[in-house]
Amino acid sequence: MLYTVKVLAVAQASFGSTAAPCRNPSAAILQLFSAMTATQVSDLEAQLSQLQAEAQSAIGEAPDLDAIEQLRVAFLGKKGKISAVLGAMGKLPAEDRPRIGAKANEVKDAVQAILDRRRTDLQADAIRVRLEAETLDVTAPGTYRPLGRKHPLASTIDKALDIFVGLGYTVADGPEMETDYYNFEALNTPADHPARDMADTFYLPDGNLLRTHTSSVQIRYMEEHEPPIRVVAPGRVYRRDQVDATHAAVFHQIELLAIDEGLTFTDMKGTIETFLGEIFGEVEIRFRASYFPFTEPSAEVDVKWKGRWLEVLGCGMVDPNVLKAAGLDPEVYSGFAAGFGVERFAMVLHQIDDIRRVYASDLRFLRQF
Ligand code: DAH
C-alpha cells in the first residue's frame, strides 16, 4: 500500500499533471514507467530497496505460518508488490532494464530468502512447542487399577446358566415391573387364590406390580415362541418381606421351562438331578410332593448338605391351565418348570451366614470370592 501511494506521487510529479490522480495502482505504475527519466529510474531503485526493508521487518515480526503466507502473497504473489515492478519492466528505457531488472530480482530473491528463513524458524518453533507439550515420560509409574472380581451372586447365576446352556437351553428375561396377569393370573393364580398371600409384593399406582418370581417369564416366552421350548430366565424379584438373615425384599431367581410333545416327570427329574449334581457335586437328592398353582404335580427338591436336608428349589409339570393361558394345547404339549433362589444357592455354596452381606458392598466380604 505504502509503495502504491509513493508510486502515485512519483507519477504525478513526473507529469506535472493537474489531472485527477489515477486510482488504479497498476495503471499508475504503467504511466510511471512509460515516462521514466534517469532520476526516476534511480527513484525506482530506491523504491525497491525500500520494499525490501519493508518486507524484512514485516516478515521478521510475522507471528505464525499464516502470516508468513499472507506476506508471501503480498510481496511475491502474482499481484504482489514486487511482481508489479517486474511486470512493468517492458516500459523502461532499454538501457535501464538490465539494471532495474537485476535489482528487482535481487530484491525478490532476498525477500524469498527472508520468508524461507522465517518460515523454517516458525516451523521449528511449532515442533519444539509440540514436543514439549507431548512429551511422554516412559519412566512414570502406571495408574493402579485394582482388578475386580465377580460378585458371588453374579458367579452363581453364570454357573447355573452355563450348565443349562450346556443342556441346550436358551437364556431369556422379562420385565421386573409386571402386570397382575403375567405374575399371577396367567400362572393359574386368580385374584382370590390363597397362594397370593405368600407372595405379597409392591403395587404400583397404575395397578402394575414388582414381580414376585421369574415364573412370569414362562408366559411371556411361550406367547412369543413355538415349542419345543428350553429356556432359562435369571432375574431380580420382589417380595413384601421382613428382612432378616435369610429374607430380603429384593432377591434373585432363576426360572426353568421346557415344553415339548411328550415331556414327562422323568425328564424333569433327570434335568434337575444333572443340574444339582453339577452345582453341588455328588450329593443325595430327594423330591418331595408339594403344591404350586402353576404346576401339577408339583415338588420341592432337597439336597443332603453337610448332613442335613436342605430345600433348594420348586418344580413341577406345567399346569394345563398355564399352557392354555399361553395359547398352547395341553392335549399336544406338556412340559416342566422349576424355580430357585440365587441367594440361597450362593449362601449354601460359600457358607454365607447372612443374606444381607451379599448386598452390603463391603469389600472385606467381597474380596473373598
Ligand atoms: N415361582 C416359585 C417361587 O417363587 C418357584 C417355582 C416353583 C417356580 C415351581 C417354578 C415351579 O417354575 O415349577 O417360589
Side-chain angles (χ1 to χ4, degrees), residues 60-109:
E61 284 163 18
D64 53 32
L65 294 169
D66 276 353
I68 288 287
E69 178 57 16
Q70 280 169 24
L71 288 167
R72 187 192 65 75
V73 173
F75 284 99
L76 301 177
K78 267 199 204 122
K79 294 179 186 161
K81 298 178 184 191
I82 294 173
S83 296
V85 177
L86 288 174
M89 202 65 74
K91 302 286 179 187
L92 277 179
E95 70 272 22
D96 291 326
R97 272 182 221 162
R99 197 158 47 83
I100 296 298
K103 173 73 178 168
N105 276 327
E106 203 180 283
V107 170
K108 193 180 154 195
D109 290 348

mmCIF file of all heavy atoms in Angstrom, residues 60-109:
data_model
loop_
_atom_site.group_PDB
_atom_site.id
_atom_site.type_symbol
_atom_site.label_atom_id
_atom_site.label_comp_id
_atom_site.label_asym_id
_atom_site.label_seq_id
_atom_site.Cartn_x
_atom_site.Cartn_y
_atom_site.Cartn_z
ATOM 1 N N GLY A 60 9.955 -10.428 9.623
ATOM 2 C CA GLY A 60 10.611 -10.687 10.910
ATOM 3 C C GLY A 60 9.632 -10.720 12.061
ATOM 4 O O GLY A 60 9.828 -11.434 13.044
ATOM 5 N N GLU A 61 8.532 -9.933 11.926
ATOM 6 C CA GLU A 61 7.559 -9.879 13.021
ATOM 7 C C GLU A 61 6.390 -10.835 12.816
ATOM 8 O O GLU A 61 5.497 -10.902 13.662
ATOM 9 C CB GLU A 61 7.005 -8.448 13.146
ATOM 10 C CG GLU A 61 8.008 -7.505 13.804
ATOM 11 C CD GLU A 61 7.678 -6.036 13.562
ATOM 12 O OE1 GLU A 61 6.514 -5.755 13.197
ATOM 13 O OE2 GLU A 61 8.574 -5.204 13.743
ATOM 14 N N ALA A 62 6.369 -11.529 11.688
ATOM 15 C CA ALA A 62 5.228 -12.424 11.423
ATOM 16 C C ALA A 62 5.073 -13.432 12.553
ATOM 17 O O ALA A 62 6.034 -14.136 12.881
ATOM 18 C CB ALA A 62 5.425 -13.144 10.100
ATOM 19 N N PRO A 63 3.899 -13.498 13.173
ATOM 20 C CA PRO A 63 3.741 -14.345 14.360
ATOM 21 C C PRO A 63 3.574 -15.837 14.042
ATOM 22 O O PRO A 63 3.893 -16.671 14.865
ATOM 23 C CB PRO A 63 2.478 -13.811 15.032
ATOM 24 C CG PRO A 63 1.674 -13.201 13.916
ATOM 25 C CD PRO A 63 2.674 -12.719 12.883
ATOM 26 N N ASP A 64 3.068 -16.136 12.845
ATOM 27 C CA ASP A 64 2.828 -17.560 12.576
ATOM 28 C C ASP A 64 2.879 -17.842 11.073
ATOM 29 O O ASP A 64 3.088 -16.946 10.256
ATOM 30 C CB ASP A 64 1.481 -18.003 13.159
ATOM 31 C CG ASP A 64 0.348 -17.114 12.679
ATOM 32 O OD1 ASP A 64 0.413 -16.615 11.539
ATOM 33 O OD2 ASP A 64 -0.610 -16.911 13.454
ATOM 34 N N LEU A 65 2.677 -19.100 10.728
ATOM 35 C CA LEU A 65 2.806 -19.527 9.333
ATOM 36 C C LEU A 65 1.741 -18.907 8.429
ATOM 37 O O LEU A 65 1.994 -18.639 7.251
ATOM 38 C CB LEU A 65 2.758 -21.058 9.244
ATOM 39 C CG LEU A 65 3.955 -21.765 9.903
ATOM 40 C CD1 LEU A 65 3.724 -23.272 10.022
ATOM 41 C CD2 LEU A 65 5.246 -21.501 9.123
ATOM 42 N N ASP A 66 0.570 -18.654 9.005
ATOM 43 C CA ASP A 66 -0.485 -17.997 8.223
ATOM 44 C C ASP A 66 -0.037 -16.599 7.802
ATOM 45 O O ASP A 66 -0.216 -16.178 6.653
ATOM 46 C CB ASP A 66 -1.766 -17.863 9.054
ATOM 47 C CG ASP A 66 -2.577 -19.153 8.994
ATOM 48 O OD1 ASP A 66 -2.184 -20.036 8.211
ATOM 49 O OD2 ASP A 66 -3.567 -19.257 9.744
ATOM 50 N N ALA A 67 0.543 -15.886 8.760
ATOM 51 C CA ALA A 67 1.012 -14.531 8.485
ATOM 52 C C ALA A 67 2.106 -14.560 7.422
ATOM 53 O O ALA A 67 2.156 -13.714 6.522
ATOM 54 C CB ALA A 67 1.517 -13.880 9.770
ATOM 55 N N ILE A 68 2.980 -15.567 7.497
ATOM 56 C CA ILE A 68 4.054 -15.717 6.508
ATOM 57 C C ILE A 68 3.465 -15.869 5.111
ATOM 58 O O ILE A 68 3.890 -15.238 4.142
ATOM 59 C CB ILE A 68 4.911 -16.976 6.838
ATOM 60 C CG1 ILE A 68 5.763 -16.726 8.075
ATOM 61 C CG2 ILE A 68 5.783 -17.390 5.666
ATOM 62 C CD1 ILE A 68 6.916 -15.786 7.850
ATOM 63 N N GLU A 69 2.426 -16.686 5.024
ATOM 64 C CA GLU A 69 1.811 -16.930 3.720
ATOM 65 C C GLU A 69 1.179 -15.649 3.175
ATOM 66 O O GLU A 69 1.302 -15.318 1.992
ATOM 67 C CB GLU A 69 0.786 -18.073 3.856
ATOM 68 C CG GLU A 69 0.027 -18.422 2.591
ATOM 69 C CD GLU A 69 0.922 -18.807 1.408
ATOM 70 O OE1 GLU A 69 2.103 -19.103 1.617
ATOM 71 O OE2 GLU A 69 0.419 -18.781 0.267
ATOM 72 N N GLN A 70 0.524 -14.900 4.070
ATOM 73 C CA GLN A 70 -0.090 -13.633 3.630
ATOM 74 C C GLN A 70 0.982 -12.666 3.119
ATOM 75 O O GLN A 70 0.799 -11.993 2.096
ATOM 76 C CB GLN A 70 -0.872 -12.993 4.783
ATOM 77 C CG GLN A 70 -2.251 -13.628 4.974
ATOM 78 C CD GLN A 70 -2.901 -13.189 6.270
ATOM 79 O OE1 GLN A 70 -2.571 -12.127 6.808
ATOM 80 N NE2 GLN A 70 -3.801 -14.014 6.777
ATOM 81 N N LEU A 71 2.094 -12.626 3.817
ATOM 82 C CA LEU A 71 3.177 -11.725 3.396
ATOM 83 C C LEU A 71 3.797 -12.191 2.083
ATOM 84 O O LEU A 71 4.157 -11.380 1.226
ATOM 85 C CB LEU A 71 4.248 -11.637 4.492
ATOM 86 C CG LEU A 71 3.801 -10.834 5.714
ATOM 87 C CD1 LEU A 71 4.761 -11.047 6.880
ATOM 88 C CD2 LEU A 71 3.726 -9.340 5.374
ATOM 89 N N ARG A 72 3.911 -13.490 1.905
ATOM 90 C CA ARG A 72 4.450 -14.004 0.640
ATOM 91 C C ARG A 72 3.577 -13.539 -0.530
ATOM 92 O O ARG A 72 4.064 -13.041 -1.541
ATOM 93 C CB ARG A 72 4.514 -15.538 0.662
ATOM 94 C CG ARG A 72 5.218 -16.125 -0.563
ATOM 95 C CD ARG A 72 5.032 -17.619 -0.691
ATOM 96 N NE ARG A 72 3.634 -18.000 -0.933
ATOM 97 C CZ ARG A 72 3.004 -17.860 -2.095
ATOM 98 N NH1 ARG A 72 3.628 -17.340 -3.127
ATOM 99 N NH2 ARG A 72 1.739 -18.223 -2.213
ATOM 100 N N VAL A 73 2.243 -13.688 -0.327
ATOM 101 C CA VAL A 73 1.330 -13.263 -1.383
ATOM 102 C C VAL A 73 1.450 -11.756 -1.631
ATOM 103 O O VAL A 73 1.517 -11.297 -2.767
ATOM 104 C CB VAL A 73 -0.122 -13.667 -1.017
ATOM 105 C CG1 VAL A 73 -1.117 -13.087 -2.002
ATOM 106 C CG2 VAL A 73 -0.242 -15.196 -0.964
ATOM 107 N N ALA A 74 1.528 -11.013 -0.529
ATOM 108 C CA ALA A 74 1.568 -9.548 -0.652
ATOM 109 C C ALA A 74 2.829 -9.066 -1.375
ATOM 110 O O ALA A 74 2.786 -8.126 -2.170
ATOM 111 C CB ALA A 74 1.476 -8.911 0.737
ATOM 112 N N PHE A 75 3.963 -9.714 -1.129
ATOM 113 C CA PHE A 75 5.215 -9.259 -1.748
ATOM 114 C C PHE A 75 5.562 -9.990 -3.034
ATOM 115 O O PHE A 75 5.935 -9.382 -4.019
ATOM 116 C CB PHE A 75 6.381 -9.395 -0.744
ATOM 117 C CG PHE A 75 6.367 -8.307 0.299
ATOM 118 C CD1 PHE A 75 5.853 -8.532 1.557
ATOM 119 C CD2 PHE A 75 6.859 -7.033 0.008
ATOM 120 C CE1 PHE A 75 5.818 -7.539 2.514
ATOM 121 C CE2 PHE A 75 6.833 -6.025 0.962
ATOM 122 C CZ PHE A 75 6.313 -6.272 2.222
ATOM 123 N N LEU A 76 5.426 -11.324 -3.018
ATOM 124 C CA LEU A 76 5.918 -12.105 -4.153
ATOM 125 C C LEU A 76 4.814 -12.695 -5.019
ATOM 126 O O LEU A 76 5.095 -13.254 -6.078
ATOM 127 C CB LEU A 76 6.804 -13.262 -3.657
ATOM 128 C CG LEU A 76 8.044 -12.873 -2.841
ATOM 129 C CD1 LEU A 76 8.776 -14.129 -2.372
ATOM 130 C CD2 LEU A 76 8.989 -11.993 -3.658
ATOM 131 N N GLY A 77 3.569 -12.602 -4.544
ATOM 132 C CA GLY A 77 2.455 -13.194 -5.288
ATOM 133 C C GLY A 77 2.298 -12.555 -6.668
ATOM 134 O O GLY A 77 2.909 -11.520 -6.965
ATOM 135 N N LYS A 78 1.450 -13.206 -7.512
ATOM 136 C CA LYS A 78 1.255 -12.711 -8.876
ATOM 137 C C LYS A 78 0.845 -11.253 -8.919
ATOM 138 O O LYS A 78 1.226 -10.498 -9.807
ATOM 139 C CB LYS A 78 0.169 -13.551 -9.563
ATOM 140 C CG LYS A 78 0.731 -14.708 -10.354
ATOM 141 C CD LYS A 78 -0.324 -15.177 -11.360
ATOM 142 C CE LYS A 78 -0.065 -16.619 -11.732
ATOM 143 N NZ LYS A 78 -1.188 -17.505 -11.449
ATOM 144 N N LYS A 79 0.003 -10.879 -7.924
ATOM 145 C CA LYS A 79 -0.435 -9.473 -7.885
ATOM 146 C C LYS A 79 0.285 -8.724 -6.779
ATOM 147 O O LYS A 79 -0.175 -7.693 -6.316
ATOM 148 C CB LYS A 79 -1.944 -9.423 -7.648
ATOM 149 C CG LYS A 79 -2.732 -10.014 -8.817
ATOM 150 C CD LYS A 79 -4.226 -9.974 -8.538
ATOM 151 C CE LYS A 79 -4.960 -10.701 -9.650
ATOM 152 N NZ LYS A 79 -6.322 -11.085 -9.226
ATOM 153 N N GLY A 80 1.423 -9.271 -6.346
ATOM 154 C CA GLY A 80 2.153 -8.680 -5.229
ATOM 155 C C GLY A 80 2.973 -7.455 -5.646
ATOM 156 O O GLY A 80 3.060 -7.094 -6.822
ATOM 157 N N LYS A 81 3.584 -6.836 -4.658
ATOM 158 C CA LYS A 81 4.282 -5.571 -4.863
ATOM 159 C C LYS A 81 5.482 -5.704 -5.792
ATOM 160 O O LYS A 81 5.743 -4.850 -6.636
ATOM 161 C CB LYS A 81 4.746 -5.024 -3.506
ATOM 162 C CG LYS A 81 3.577 -4.727 -2.579
ATOM 163 C CD LYS A 81 4.043 -4.244 -1.223
ATOM 164 C CE LYS A 81 2.858 -4.051 -0.306
ATOM 165 N NZ LYS A 81 3.226 -3.348 0.938
ATOM 166 N N ILE A 82 6.249 -6.797 -5.653
ATOM 167 C CA ILE A 82 7.444 -6.936 -6.486
ATOM 168 C C ILE A 82 7.074 -7.322 -7.914
ATOM 169 O O ILE A 82 7.654 -6.807 -8.882
ATOM 170 C CB ILE A 82 8.417 -7.959 -5.861
ATOM 171 C CG1 ILE A 82 8.940 -7.372 -4.530
ATOM 172 C CG2 ILE A 82 9.582 -8.268 -6.801
ATOM 173 C CD1 ILE A 82 9.774 -8.318 -3.716
ATOM 174 N N SER A 83 6.047 -8.168 -8.054
ATOM 175 C CA SER A 83 5.598 -8.520 -9.397
ATOM 176 C C SER A 83 5.157 -7.292 -10.164
ATOM 177 O O SER A 83 5.324 -7.200 -11.389
ATOM 178 C CB SER A 83 4.436 -9.509 -9.323
ATOM 179 O OG SER A 83 4.876 -10.701 -8.753
ATOM 180 N N ALA A 84 4.548 -6.357 -9.433
ATOM 181 C CA ALA A 84 4.092 -5.134 -10.099
ATOM 182 C C ALA A 84 5.276 -4.430 -10.770
ATOM 183 O O ALA A 84 5.188 -3.955 -11.907
ATOM 184 C CB ALA A 84 3.414 -4.209 -9.097
ATOM 185 N N VAL A 85 6.417 -4.404 -10.097
ATOM 186 C CA VAL A 85 7.609 -3.766 -10.657
ATOM 187 C C VAL A 85 8.148 -4.589 -11.818
ATOM 188 O O VAL A 85 8.397 -4.080 -12.918
ATOM 189 C CB VAL A 85 8.698 -3.616 -9.567
ATOM 190 C CG1 VAL A 85 9.967 -3.023 -10.175
ATOM 191 C CG2 VAL A 85 8.182 -2.754 -8.422
ATOM 192 N N LEU A 86 8.310 -5.910 -11.584
ATOM 193 C CA LEU A 86 8.859 -6.784 -12.635
ATOM 194 C C LEU A 86 7.985 -6.777 -13.880
ATOM 195 O O LEU A 86 8.482 -6.748 -15.004
ATOM 196 C CB LEU A 86 9.014 -8.209 -12.110
ATOM 197 C CG LEU A 86 10.157 -8.425 -11.106
ATOM 198 C CD1 LEU A 86 10.106 -9.846 -10.552
ATOM 199 C CD2 LEU A 86 11.509 -8.150 -11.745
ATOM 200 N N GLY A 87 6.673 -6.786 -13.656
ATOM 201 C CA GLY A 87 5.732 -6.839 -14.778
ATOM 202 C C GLY A 87 5.800 -5.617 -15.663
ATOM 203 O O GLY A 87 5.546 -5.690 -16.872
ATOM 204 N N ALA A 88 6.130 -4.502 -15.098
ATOM 205 C CA ALA A 88 6.157 -3.254 -15.865
ATOM 206 C C ALA A 88 7.519 -2.975 -16.482
ATOM 207 O O ALA A 88 7.747 -1.920 -17.073
ATOM 208 C CB ALA A 88 5.748 -2.103 -14.943
ATOM 209 N N MET A 89 8.420 -3.947 -16.347
ATOM 210 C CA MET A 89 9.797 -3.767 -16.816
ATOM 211 C C MET A 89 9.882 -3.357 -18.288
ATOM 212 O O MET A 89 10.746 -2.569 -18.680
ATOM 213 C CB MET A 89 10.552 -5.093 -16.602
ATOM 214 C CG MET A 89 12.040 -4.933 -16.546
ATOM 215 S SD MET A 89 12.513 -3.991 -15.120
ATOM 216 C CE MET A 89 12.215 -5.244 -13.897
ATOM 217 N N GLY A 90 8.961 -3.911 -19.113
ATOM 218 C CA GLY A 90 8.991 -3.642 -20.548
ATOM 219 C C GLY A 90 8.892 -2.166 -20.902
ATOM 220 O O GLY A 90 9.285 -1.740 -21.985
ATOM 221 N N LYS A 91 8.351 -1.394 -19.994
ATOM 222 C CA LYS A 91 8.145 0.030 -20.275
ATOM 223 C C LYS A 91 9.400 0.873 -20.027
ATOM 224 O O LYS A 91 9.437 2.059 -20.322
ATOM 225 C CB LYS A 91 7.011 0.581 -19.384
ATOM 226 C CG LYS A 91 5.703 -0.157 -19.557
ATOM 227 C CD LYS A 91 5.040 0.208 -20.874
ATOM 228 C CE LYS A 91 3.735 -0.562 -21.063
ATOM 229 N NZ LYS A 91 3.175 -0.339 -22.407
ATOM 230 N N LEU A 92 10.399 0.257 -19.444
ATOM 231 C CA LEU A 92 11.619 1.021 -19.128
ATOM 232 C C LEU A 92 12.434 1.296 -20.403
ATOM 233 O O LEU A 92 12.386 0.498 -21.350
ATOM 234 C CB LEU A 92 12.506 0.201 -18.176
ATOM 235 C CG LEU A 92 12.218 0.230 -16.688
ATOM 236 C CD1 LEU A 92 13.201 -0.681 -15.973
ATOM 237 C CD2 LEU A 92 12.280 1.646 -16.129
ATOM 238 N N PRO A 93 13.191 2.371 -20.394
ATOM 239 C CA PRO A 93 14.131 2.552 -21.495
ATOM 240 C C PRO A 93 15.069 1.340 -21.521
ATOM 241 O O PRO A 93 15.464 0.840 -20.467
ATOM 242 C CB PRO A 93 14.914 3.816 -21.099
ATOM 243 C CG PRO A 93 14.111 4.476 -20.040
ATOM 244 C CD PRO A 93 13.242 3.441 -19.400
ATOM 245 N N ALA A 94 15.394 0.844 -22.752
ATOM 246 C CA ALA A 94 16.128 -0.414 -22.911
ATOM 247 C C ALA A 94 17.397 -0.469 -22.093
ATOM 248 O O ALA A 94 17.716 -1.486 -21.481
ATOM 249 C CB ALA A 94 16.449 -0.633 -24.384
ATOM 250 N N GLU A 95 18.132 0.675 -21.996
ATOM 251 C CA GLU A 95 19.428 0.611 -21.318
ATOM 252 C C GLU A 95 19.272 0.465 -19.799
ATOM 253 O O GLU A 95 20.195 0.021 -19.115
ATOM 254 C CB GLU A 95 20.304 1.857 -21.668
ATOM 255 C CG GLU A 95 19.826 3.180 -21.086
ATOM 256 C CD GLU A 95 18.811 3.902 -21.999
ATOM 257 O OE1 GLU A 95 18.171 3.200 -22.847
ATOM 258 O OE2 GLU A 95 18.650 5.120 -21.852
ATOM 259 N N ASP A 96 18.097 0.835 -19.274
ATOM 260 C CA ASP A 96 17.910 0.736 -17.815
ATOM 261 C C ASP A 96 17.377 -0.626 -17.381
ATOM 262 O O ASP A 96 17.463 -1.003 -16.215
ATOM 263 C CB ASP A 96 16.932 1.809 -17.333
ATOM 264 C CG ASP A 96 17.549 3.195 -17.444
ATOM 265 O OD1 ASP A 96 18.786 3.284 -17.236
ATOM 266 O OD2 ASP A 96 16.805 4.145 -17.733
ATOM 267 N N ARG A 97 16.804 -1.309 -18.340
ATOM 268 C CA ARG A 97 16.126 -2.561 -17.978
ATOM 269 C C ARG A 97 17.027 -3.550 -17.235
ATOM 270 O O ARG A 97 16.642 -4.061 -16.187
ATOM 271 C CB ARG A 97 15.550 -3.242 -19.216
ATOM 272 C CG ARG A 97 14.159 -2.743 -19.502
ATOM 273 C CD ARG A 97 13.579 -3.449 -20.700
ATOM 274 N NE ARG A 97 12.866 -2.497 -21.514
ATOM 275 C CZ ARG A 97 12.531 -2.684 -22.783
ATOM 276 N NH1 ARG A 97 12.896 -3.798 -23.390
ATOM 277 N NH2 ARG A 97 11.888 -1.769 -23.434
ATOM 278 N N PRO A 98 18.241 -3.848 -17.747
ATOM 279 C CA PRO A 98 19.056 -4.861 -17.056
ATOM 280 C C PRO A 98 19.315 -4.486 -15.600
ATOM 281 O O PRO A 98 19.221 -5.333 -14.706
ATOM 282 C CB PRO A 98 20.360 -4.881 -17.852
ATOM 283 C CG PRO A 98 20.008 -4.283 -19.181
ATOM 284 C CD PRO A 98 18.913 -3.313 -18.942
ATOM 285 N N ARG A 99 19.619 -3.230 -15.364
ATOM 286 C CA ARG A 99 19.992 -2.817 -14.010
ATOM 287 C C ARG A 99 18.789 -2.940 -13.070
ATOM 288 O O ARG A 99 18.874 -3.546 -11.992
ATOM 289 C CB ARG A 99 20.498 -1.370 -14.039
ATOM 290 C CG ARG A 99 21.274 -0.995 -12.787
ATOM 291 C CD ARG A 99 22.191 0.194 -13.062
ATOM 292 N NE ARG A 99 21.501 1.265 -13.763
ATOM 293 C CZ ARG A 99 20.753 2.195 -13.172
ATOM 294 N NH1 ARG A 99 20.635 2.197 -11.864
ATOM 295 N NH2 ARG A 99 20.160 3.129 -13.871
ATOM 296 N N ILE A 100 17.658 -2.333 -13.503
ATOM 297 C CA ILE A 100 16.469 -2.377 -12.640
ATOM 298 C C ILE A 100 15.971 -3.821 -12.501
ATOM 299 O O ILE A 100 15.581 -4.260 -11.424
ATOM 300 C CB ILE A 100 15.347 -1.492 -13.220
ATOM 301 C CG1 ILE A 100 15.805 -0.013 -13.224
ATOM 302 C CG2 ILE A 100 14.065 -1.629 -12.412
ATOM 303 C CD1 ILE A 100 16.087 0.542 -11.837
ATOM 304 N N GLY A 101 16.064 -4.542 -13.652
ATOM 305 C CA GLY A 101 15.636 -5.953 -13.607
ATOM 306 C C GLY A 101 16.480 -6.734 -12.621
ATOM 307 O O GLY A 101 15.953 -7.509 -11.814
ATOM 308 N N ALA A 102 17.811 -6.514 -12.694
ATOM 309 C CA ALA A 102 18.698 -7.223 -11.777
ATOM 310 C C ALA A 102 18.377 -6.862 -10.333
ATOM 311 O O ALA A 102 18.315 -7.722 -9.442
ATOM 312 C CB ALA A 102 20.151 -6.896 -12.098
ATOM 313 N N LYS A 103 18.138 -5.580 -10.135
ATOM 314 C CA LYS A 103 17.837 -5.096 -8.770
ATOM 315 C C LYS A 103 16.533 -5.738 -8.268
ATOM 316 O O LYS A 103 16.443 -6.217 -7.129
ATOM 317 C CB LYS A 103 17.716 -3.570 -8.799
ATOM 318 C CG LYS A 103 17.241 -2.944 -7.513
ATOM 319 C CD LYS A 103 18.324 -2.980 -6.436
ATOM 320 C CE LYS A 103 17.839 -2.304 -5.155
ATOM 321 N NZ LYS A 103 18.736 -2.557 -4.037
ATOM 322 N N ALA A 104 15.515 -5.729 -9.165
ATOM 323 C CA ALA A 104 14.220 -6.288 -8.769
ATOM 324 C C ALA A 104 14.360 -7.772 -8.427
ATOM 325 O O ALA A 104 13.804 -8.257 -7.434
ATOM 326 C CB ALA A 104 13.207 -6.090 -9.884
ATOM 327 N N ASN A 105 15.149 -8.495 -9.255
ATOM 328 C CA ASN A 105 15.343 -9.926 -8.973
ATOM 329 C C ASN A 105 16.082 -10.151 -7.664
ATOM 330 O O ASN A 105 15.801 -11.085 -6.928
ATOM 331 C CB ASN A 105 16.118 -10.584 -10.126
ATOM 332 C CG ASN A 105 15.149 -10.977 -11.243
ATOM 333 O OD1 ASN A 105 14.005 -11.335 -10.975
ATOM 334 N ND2 ASN A 105 15.603 -10.858 -12.488
ATOM 335 N N GLU A 106 17.047 -9.274 -7.440
ATOM 336 C CA GLU A 106 17.821 -9.356 -6.196
ATOM 337 C C GLU A 106 16.887 -9.192 -4.996
ATOM 338 O O GLU A 106 16.937 -9.968 -4.026
ATOM 339 C CB GLU A 106 18.810 -8.183 -6.228
ATOM 340 C CG GLU A 106 20.045 -8.308 -5.390
ATOM 341 C CD GLU A 106 20.882 -7.028 -5.589
ATOM 342 O OE1 GLU A 106 21.543 -6.922 -6.660
ATOM 343 O OE2 GLU A 106 20.790 -6.161 -4.706
ATOM 344 N N VAL A 107 16.003 -8.158 -5.120
ATOM 345 C CA VAL A 107 15.059 -7.906 -4.025
ATOM 346 C C VAL A 107 14.128 -9.106 -3.863
ATOM 347 O O VAL A 107 13.871 -9.579 -2.756
ATOM 348 C CB VAL A 107 14.239 -6.610 -4.295
ATOM 349 C CG1 VAL A 107 13.105 -6.469 -3.304
ATOM 350 C CG2 VAL A 107 15.152 -5.395 -4.265
ATOM 351 N N LYS A 108 13.696 -9.601 -4.995
ATOM 352 C CA LYS A 108 12.791 -10.750 -4.961
ATOM 353 C C LYS A 108 13.464 -11.933 -4.257
ATOM 354 O O LYS A 108 12.887 -12.573 -3.372
ATOM 355 C CB LYS A 108 12.447 -11.137 -6.407
ATOM 356 C CG LYS A 108 11.286 -12.097 -6.517
ATOM 357 C CD LYS A 108 11.032 -12.406 -7.988
ATOM 358 C CE LYS A 108 10.381 -13.746 -8.119
ATOM 359 N NZ LYS A 108 10.418 -14.266 -9.464
ATOM 360 N N ASP A 109 14.700 -12.230 -4.662
ATOM 361 C CA ASP A 109 15.416 -13.350 -4.039
ATOM 362 C C ASP A 109 15.633 -13.120 -2.548
ATOM 363 O O ASP A 109 15.501 -14.034 -1.727
ATOM 364 C CB ASP A 109 16.784 -13.551 -4.713
ATOM 365 C CG ASP A 109 16.628 -14.092 -6.137
ATOM 366 O OD1 ASP A 109 15.487 -14.512 -6.477
ATOM 367 O OD2 ASP A 109 17.617 -14.078 -6.895
#
